Amino acid sequence: MNILIFDTETIDLKKPFCYNLGYTILDTDGKNVLEKRDFVVSQIWKNQALFATAYYNEKKQLYIGKMRSRQTILEYWGYVMSQIRRDVKRYEIAYAYAYNSKFDDRVLDFNCDWHKTQNGLDNVKIIDIYGVAMKYIVNQTDYQQWAIDNNKLTATGKATATAEAVYQYLTKNVDFVEEHTALADAIIETDILIKCLELGAELGKDYPTSTPLDESKAILQTLTIKLNGEKVAEYDYLSRTNRINTIYLKK
């Protein structure tokens, strides 16, 4: 069975204009990547005023280098969607996957509406890798202990479940930093999904992406207060909420 794993990079969360889309095509039987594609979206890239507001606009030189070396291709959004449709048909894609797929799915819909094009994944079920990773990696004892040992914890005391953190765990490289370009991120997400499949994840199945806070599984953390570099107090907590000039701790 062949599946497509994709990622998008946008101006920001509120302005989801997509300037970079990349994906891999994975043969799930042989665990082989059959195709890698990476596109910089011409309409957004060439709109200098808009791109200057991008959250990762400092990566412009990185994209220029990738385009010069033909690692990524500058194309219009309509062409990108057409290429996805061709690949879906050619490789008989059964499912599409993305990490935090609700966002990427929204990005596709928003940009197809904006550019008046057909969505290349309109007829393909999109599944969230985050939910799969939560069940088969993040919620496992080894990962939970790794998160404690390496201080990979959220403000609520849970183990961090970002793609970057999960990939750090799988590769035993806590110094790994996600590139936050579409194909590079899609590649590490492909590796995460392959591991989940090896651990028994079912293809095409949706796994829960959120659960109520279970305080019995929250990890006790310590907030240290210092004055002029000297420790003056310590507070243990299970969850932490930051507000303007105030920190609320819950035990």
Side-chain angles (χ1 to χ4, degrees), residues 1-245:
M1 182 183 295
N2 296 331
I3 60 175
L4 185 148
I5 300 99
F6 72 103
D7 183 70
T8 61
E9 297 296 330
T10 63
I11 295 299
D12 60 32
L13 298 179
K14 294 182 179 179
K15 295 182 291 185
F17 293 102
C18 181
Y19 60 82
N20 182 208
L21 186 151
Y23 59 91
T24 67
I25 294 176
L26 175 70
D27 166 17
T28 61
D29 296 322
K31 305 298 189 297
N32 298 316
V33 174
L34 306 177
E35 197 75 72
K36 297 176 184 177
R37 298 197 191 277
D38 196 32
F39 300 99
V40 170
V41 179
S42 182
Q43 293 101 315
I44 310 305
W45 176 262
K46 291 181 178 179
N47 187 332
Q48 295 183 21
L50 180 60
F51 189 81
T53 68
Y55 186 78
Y56 289 119
N57 68 79
E58 77 278 3
K59 295 185 183 292
K60 186 171 185 178
Q61 290 303 315
L62 176 61
Y63 282 111
I64 290 173
K66 286 177 177 287
M67 285 188 283
R68 286 175 176 170
S69 61
R70 302 294 290 174
Q71 295 177 61
T72 186
I73 303 171
L74 181 67
E75 289 288 357
Y76 287 100
W77 180 260
Y79 177 91
V80 177
M81 290 298 102
S82 295
Q83 183 62 63
I84 290 178
R85 286 197 299 275
R86 288 192 290 270
D87 283 336
V88 166
K89 181 177 180 180
R90 175 187 175 189
Y91 291 101
E92 299 180 332
I93 298 298
Y95 306 105
Y97 282 79
Y99 212 95
N100 294 318
S101 64
K102 285 185 178 180
F103 173 75
D104 295 290
D105 195 11
R106 181 167 69 90
V107 170
L108 292 184
D109 287 339
F110 174 87
N111 283 272
C112 286
D113 288 344
W114 183 267
H115 297 296
K116 304 297 186 293
T117 60
Q118 181 182 347
N119 189 330
L121 294 176
D122 256 348
N123 299 313
V124 180
K125 181 181 178 181
I126 298 176
I127 300 170
D128 201 334
I129 300 174
Y130 176 80
V132 187
M134 285 294 293
K135 178 174 177 60
Y136 287 94
I137 298 175
V138 175
N139 287 337
Q140 301 304 310
T141 302
D142 285 351
Y143 185 92
Q144 294 290 313
Q145 187 60 52
W146 174 85
I148 296 172
D149 293 342
N150 293 280
N151 196 30
K152 301 293 182 179
L153 305 171
T154 68
T156 57
K158 289 187 174 183
T160 302
T162 61
E164 179 178 273
V166 173
Y167 192 74
Q168 288 173 344
Y169 168 76
L170 292 179
T171 59
K172 297 180 173 59
N173 178 13
V174 295
D175 296 322
F176 171 79
V177 178
E178 199 171 5
E179 188 173 283
H180 291 296
T181 61
L183 180 58
D185 291 358
I187 288 172
I188 72 168
E189 291 159 16
T190 299
D191 290 343
I192 292 170
L193 183 57
I194 288 174
K195 182 62 177 179
C196 291
L197 294 173
E198 291 173 347
L199 292 171
E202 296 180 42
L203 279 167
K205 180 177 178 178
D206 289 307
Y207 290 88
T209 57
S210 63
T211 55
L213 176 62
D214 182 352
E215 293 186 356
S216 68
K217 294 183 179 180
I219 299 166
L220 189 66
Q221 301 179 74
T222 301
L223 174 67
T224 300
I225 307 298
K226 292 184 178 181
L227 181 63
N228 298 324
E230 296 293 328
K231 181 175 71 176
V232 294
E234 282 188 343
Y235 300 94
D236 293 334
Y237 66 95
L238 290 176
S239 65
R240 169 177 173 173
T241 303
N242 296 327
R243 297 287 186 266
I244 298 175
N245 299 323

